[in-house]
Amino acid sequence: MFNADDLKKKFLNDIETARSESQLSEVWKTYLSKNGSVQGLMNGIKEVAKEEKKAYGQFVNDVKNWVQEKYDEKKKEIEALEPVSYTHLRAHETP
């Protein structure tokens, strides 16, 4: 079963070091995709005692929401930093 504290630490390190959309895409694959670490936490519910499943499920949802929020913040930050090309807008102009 995955350890949520370790996941958060690794995620924070990876998200902090992501400097481009391609690096951010790798972060998404590692943590938020169908085969990512957050899904691994969700799959861990099978190992939890029946009376603890509700609390565990809520905990995992909180972790997922936190990871998604940090990812979205970083995505906006990277999108704001990457230069925008306006070349395609000027293609129709003639000299």
Side-chain angles (χ1 to χ4, degrees), residues 5-84:
D5 291 332
D6 290 343
L7 183 147
K8 283 182 169 183
K9 287 177 191 174
K10 289 172 70 176
F11 172 76
L12 280 175
N13 181 60
D14 290 348
I15 201 81
E16 297 271 330
T17 58
R19 300 281 181 244
S20 67
E21 287 191 28
S22 63
Q23 289 173 334
L24 195 60
S25 176
E26 288 302 314
V27 171
W28 185 87
K29 288 177 192 173
T30 302
Y31 296 95
L32 292 166
S33 71
K34 184 170 67 170
N35 297 320
S37 298
V38 173
Q39 185 62 41
L41 276 177
M42 290 183 179
N43 292 341
I45 201 163
K46 299 171 195 168
E47 301 171 24
V48 176
K50 186 176 182 176
E51 59 275 359
E52 296 175 7
K53 285 187 187 244
K54 183 177 179 181
Y56 182 82
Q58 182 60 48
F59 168 74
V60 171
N61 280 331
D62 290 346
V63 170
K64 179 182 179 190
N65 291 337
W66 178 82
V67 169
Q68 185 68 56
E69 181 180 310
K70 296 292 181 191
Y71 173 84
D72 291 343
E73 289 172 8
K74 186 65 171 191
K75 184 174 181 178
K76 286 179 185 175
E77 180 184 316
I78 287 174
E79 287 173 348
L81 294 175
E82 290 195 353
V84 177

